[in-house]
């Protein structure tokens, strides 16, 4: 569990790492579609790698609450040129998608890992993953982006999300994807109320004994807005605070829009985790 194998790469995870985000959606409210131009995306990715990102997450489907998915052709047209443009960088390339055809296209373009907010619930996506021997981030979501925030509901959110992820790990293994290629994510904000997010963070340790590394994404999310009262462009400090806590509670990968400050947060959180229990 101290390394992630994905495509041709091995990512050491003894110390936790940062995944930088590049949105290639025209409607992406947080980055305004600025990175659809592959040369602009390359400049951003290059900077993120210099700042210490070990993974870059390229997304062509906006999964913000209320969004509708693009066509498959449109999604491929958005992400493939960006993956090709950044494939030579010394970084693990992750692509946010739920679709087998997109997985095939980005595997050929040089992607290493698939980050599926639907947790590979489409059988064809699972098969594509196994075919290309890619890594996989299995995220939990209740519902679909278009309606997931209308009325999220759980009897016991932590136990339910944990059981679902555990089951997905078994299904991935049955489909031929080894455990060493998997990462799990409870999916903050994906069919979760503020109280659900709070419960997941309070009990984050519950996700650290499933035998695969834990990824968390809280950067700029509504939860941070709720806690700080700040608009999306002013949520860095709140996002970094949650990243620090998540690492102290066992997260191995933190997905973030601003890499440099998140790398510092991860170092601080990891130092606090390492020294836990040590008496002065
Ligand atoms: C995640 O947590 N999140 S896209 C709403 C915002 C700001 C940002 C209202 N993909 C995750 O970043 N993949 C996204 O303000 C993800 N884990 C994984 N694995 C949503 C996002 C955002 C949403």
């Amino acid at each position: 569990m101290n390394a992630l194998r994905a495509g041709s790469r091995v990512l050491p995870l003894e110390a936790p790492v940062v995944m930088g985000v590049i949105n290639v959606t025209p409607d992406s409210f947080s980055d305004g579609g600025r990175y659809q131009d592959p040369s602009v995306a390359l400049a951003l990715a290059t900077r993120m790698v210099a700042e210490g990102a070990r993974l870059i997450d390229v997304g062509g489907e906006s999964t913000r609450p209320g969004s509708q998915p693009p066509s498959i052709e449109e999604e491929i047209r958005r992400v493939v040129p960006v993956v090709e443009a950044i494939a030579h960088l010394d970084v693990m390339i992750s692509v946010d998608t739920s679709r087998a055809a997109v997985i095939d296209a980005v595997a050929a373009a040089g992607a290493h890992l698939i980050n599926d907010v639907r947790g590979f619930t489409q059988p064809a996506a699972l098969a594509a993953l196994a075919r290309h021997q890619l890594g996989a981030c299995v995220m939990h979501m209740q519902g679909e982006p278009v309606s997931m925030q209308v009325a999220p509901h759980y009897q016991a959110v932590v136990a339910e999300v944990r059981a679902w992820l555990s089951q997905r790990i078994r299904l991935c293994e049955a489909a031929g994807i080894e455990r060493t290629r998997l990462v799990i994510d409870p999916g903050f904000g994906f069919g979760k109320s503020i109280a659900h997010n709070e419960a997941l963070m309070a009990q984050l340790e519950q996700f650290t004994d499933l035998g695969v590394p834990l990824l968390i994404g809280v950067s700029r999310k509504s939860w941070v807005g709720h806690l700080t009262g700040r608009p999306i462009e002013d949520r860095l400090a709140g996002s970094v605070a949650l990243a620090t806590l998540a690492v102290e509670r066992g997260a191995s990968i933190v997905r973030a829009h601003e890499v440099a400050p998140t790398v510092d947060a991860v170092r601080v959180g990891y130092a606090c985790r390492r020294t836990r229990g040590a008496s002065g």
Side-chain angles (χ1 to χ4, degrees):
M1 204 187 118
N2 280 330
L4 169 64
R5 293 195 302 136
S8 55
R9 289 186 171 250
V10 179
L11 179 68
L13 288 175
E14 189 64 47
V17 300
V18 174
M19 167 189 262
V21 179
I22 298 187
N23 283 315
V24 287
T25 53
D27 59 340
S28 181
F29 62 127
S30 74
D31 290 315
R34 276 175 285 156
Y35 311 121
Q36 279 190 292
D37 176 343
S39 65
V40 177
L42 173 59
L44 176 66
T46 302
R47 197 186 84 205
M48 287 177 164
V49 173
E51 291 176 351
R54 291 284 182 269
L55 305 99
I56 301 282
D57 191 37
V58 179
E61 177 194 353
S62 173
T63 49
R64 73 188 247 213
S67 304
Q68 304 266 8
S71 71
I72 292 176
E73 295 70 30
E74 174 62 19
E75 199 184 334
I76 290 174
R77 198 190 60 72
R78 289 176 188 171
V79 295
V80 166
V82 171
V83 172
E84 286 173 346
I86 69 173
H88 66 282
L89 296 178
D90 183 18
V91 72
M92 191 174 269
I93 299 173
S94 157
V95 174
D96 246 290
T97 190
S98 302
R99 292 161 155 171
V102 181
I103 296 174
D104 288 337
V106 300
H112 307 106
L113 182 126
I114 304 299
N115 173 26
D116 185 2
V117 299
R118 295 176 182 82
F120 303 95
T121 43
Q122 295 180 18
L126 207 57
L129 199 61
R131 204 159 51 239
H132 301 291
Q133 290 291 293
L134 297 174
C137 176
V138 179
M139 198 196 81
H140 176 274
M141 169 164 62
Q142 185 179 80
E144 276 288 311
V146 69
S147 58
M148 66 188 178
Q149 290 307 103
V150 174
H153 179 79
Y154 303 83
Q155 299 294 330
V157 63
V158 176
E160 287 172 40
V161 172
R162 187 180 181 286
W164 188 87
L165 289 171
S166 173
Q167 170 72 3
R168 296 309 302 171
I169 293 170
R170 281 198 294 279
L171 283 167
C172 285
E173 287 184 306
I177 304 142
E178 298 129 284
R179 202 170 262 259
T180 53
R181 296 188 183 273
L182 298 176
V183 175
I184 51 166
D185 181 345
F188 285 96
F190 284 87
K192 317 278 182 340
S193 67
I194 299 294
H196 297 141
N197 290 329
E198 287 173 348
L200 290 167
M201 187 60 83
Q203 298 293 316
L204 202 65
E205 299 269 5
Q206 299 280 325
F207 297 92
T208 60
D209 66 351
L210 289 169
V212 304
L214 174 64
L215 182 152
I216 69 114
V218 289
S219 178
R220 298 182 180 169
K221 286 189 179 172
S222 302
W223 184 26
V224 179
H226 170 86
L227 292 170
T228 60
R230 300 197 186 275
I232 195 144
E233 64 276 15
D234 294 332
R235 294 179 186 166
L236 174 59
S239 301
V240 157
L242 285 176
T244 313
L245 269 181
V247 167
E248 199 269 343
R249 293 171 186 187
S252 293
I253 304 175
V254 176
R255 183 180 180 276
H257 297 84
E258 284 107 337
V259 170
T262 310
V263 167
D264 283 1
V266 158
R267 287 188 181 140
V268 170
Y270 181 49
C272 294
R273 179 169 185 79
R274 268 192 329 249
T275 50
R276 250 192 203 187
S279 51

